[in-house]
Amino acid sequence: MTSLNLLTDIPGIRVGHSEDLNLRTGVTVILFDSPVTASGSFLGGAPALRETALLEPENLVERIHAVVLSGGSTYGLDATTGVQAWLREQFGNAPLPPSTIRVPIVVQASLYDLPAGGRTSWGRYSPYADMGHQAAENARHGCFRLGTAGAGTGATTATLRGGLGSASTITPAGHRVAALVAVNAVGTATIGDGPHFWSAPFERGHEFGGLGMPAHLTSEDLRLRSKWASVTGTTIGLIATDATLTKTQAKRLAILAQDGVARGVFPAHLPLDGDAIIGVSTRAKPSPSPQEWTEILHAATQVTARAIARGVYEAGPLPGATSLHTWHERFGGKERQVSDTIQK
């Protein structure tokens, strides 16, 4: 199987987007060909979540059908309604025993991309249910757009536009591990005012510019850069493997992916962040041995950090600013002062 360096490198996973460019927001839906084992880790101080309590290992539900990432803060949680409706339409074609009701289990995390002042231009109900249905309809195997797409449409960081990123890898034992992340952090994905990513030590090839780390980190590089205090952020995403895991192991997978959030965003898990990661096992391969399990967790941290950098790198520019992708192409990957070309 050819690797696209995307979540969909894991067989049985599909991804679809929908966007409203007038509202500058969007929805990303992750569908599974067969229900998956899932749990989660929620470390941000301002999460917007739906149906995540059922992911706790002590609770009843063992499998879920879809994960939704969206903009819109808690308004965006309406997207699950549309995804459930789409799944019910698919279930309608499957025979069921008499008197059986099949309930689609959909888990969601949302980020804050509302306009300044919190004004919304829709009517009584938000558009997110329709956007969720459309994103599910658009879900396909294989390649999907990164950057300013789906849940990353209106995302920002403290210094640059945010976006939707993905990355994948194969462990020494042959297990696939992949992440999909919408980066809307209160903090930054890049170091200081330059083009280097905090995720640089984990980069594969030139997936986000290939600049590596600066020779030295200065006190200015380490100075706090964050969105202003009344704006919430959030890095939300999914980490998946094809190994067979229990719910408890899926939770540990999500926790190790949160380590990747802390390596890709500085600072992370702030009071105004809603950082949330869903851990998923497609169960296509047998349960890992202890050593193989450690390899999967080790990979989870790295692919999450890489996905964060790719989301920002692939994002389109803010008004009056140059995207990092364009900047790197223009200057051939050479280190330069970029304070006059990237959005501060």
Side-chain angles (χ1 to χ4, degrees):
M1 179 179 176
T2 301
S3 174
L4 299 173
N5 199 22
L6 297 172
L7 179 66
T8 46
D9 288 344
I10 298 179
I13 298 180
R14 291 175 283 152
V15 175
H17 300 319
S18 65
E19 297 96 13
D20 186 322
L21 297 181
N22 291 323
L23 295 174
R24 219 183 99 181
T25 191
V27 173
T28 296
V29 173
I30 303 100
L31 299 176
F32 308 107
D33 291 350
S34 299
V36 297
T37 302
S39 191
S41 174
F42 314 104
L43 298 185
L49 306 170
R50 181 165 171 173
E51 297 291 9
T52 52
L54 60 80
L55 297 177
E56 293 304 318
E58 70 272 18
N59 289 337
L60 176 66
V61 173
E62 288 289 335
R63 309 277 188 265
I64 67 172
H65 297 93
V67 172
V68 182
L69 308 177
S70 80
S73 186
T74 54
Y75 290 114
L77 298 179
D78 289 344
T80 287
T81 300
V83 178
Q84 278 193 312
W86 186 88
L87 286 167
R88 285 185 64 226
E89 292 164 4
Q90 313 312 306
F91 290 168
N93 298 323
L96 288 175
S99 304
T100 299
I101 299 175
R102 183 177 286 172
V103 179
I105 305 300
V106 182
V107 174
Q108 182 172 356
S110 182
L111 57 81
Y112 188 99
D113 58 3
L114 299 176
R119 297 183 181 87
T120 55
S121 59
W122 56 77
R124 177 170 292 177
Y125 301 108
S126 85
Y128 287 97
D130 289 337
M131 293 171 69
H133 189 280
Q134 186 61 56
E137 186 69 25
N138 292 342
R140 298 289 183 271
H141 291 292
C143 194
F144 56 89
R145 289 178 295 125
L146 300 181
T148 307
T153 299
T156 59
T157 70
T159 55
L160 293 165
R161 191 162 190 165
L164 190 86
S166 192
S168 73
T169 193
I170 300 176
T171 69
H175 294 102
R176 290 185 180 271
V177 182
L180 176 70
V181 184
V183 187
N184 187 55
V186 172
T188 70
T190 50
I191 299 171
D193 292 325
H196 300 86
F197 283 95
W198 293 110
S199 302
F202 311 111
E203 186 174 13
R204 300 286 182 89
H206 289 71
E207 62 188 346
F208 43 86
L211 295 186
M213 291 287 286
H216 303 284
L217 293 180
T218 68
S219 58
E220 178 62 18
D221 291 333
L222 299 176
R223 178 177 61 82
L224 174 65
R225 291 167 173 80
S226 68
K227 295 176 181 175
W228 34 290
S230 62
V231 174
T232 52
T234 297
T235 299
I236 55 176
L238 179 142
I239 180 75
T241 181
D242 56 6
T244 295
L245 305 181
T246 65
K247 281 183 74 176
T248 299
Q249 288 176 314
K251 186 175 184 70
R252 182 57 54 184
L253 184 71
I255 291 169
L256 268 290
Q258 288 278 21
D259 287 353
V261 174
R263 284 163 172 77
V265 171
F266 183 70
H269 309 144
L270 291 168
L272 290 174
D273 279 312
D275 298 343
I277 299 290
I278 311 299
V280 162
S281 160
T282 65
R283 299 175 292 125
K285 293 184 178 179
S287 300
S289 69
Q291 177 60 34
E292 291 170 349
W293 176 222
T294 302
E295 292 172 356
I296 291 169
L297 295 174
H298 183 238
T301 296
Q302 295 184 57
V303 296
T304 302
R306 290 166 50 208
I308 287 169
R310 287 194 81 196
V312 175
Y313 180 70
E314 297 290 348
L318 289 164
T322 301
S323 71
L324 276 178
H325 193 296
T326 303
W327 189 91
H328 285 179
E329 288 181 342
R330 181 180 302 169
F331 295 115
K334 296 178 181 179
E335 183 174 355
R336 292 173 181 240
Q337 174 55 253
V338 296
S339 60
D340 60 341
T341 60
I342 63 173
Q343 181 74 21
K344 291 186 177 181

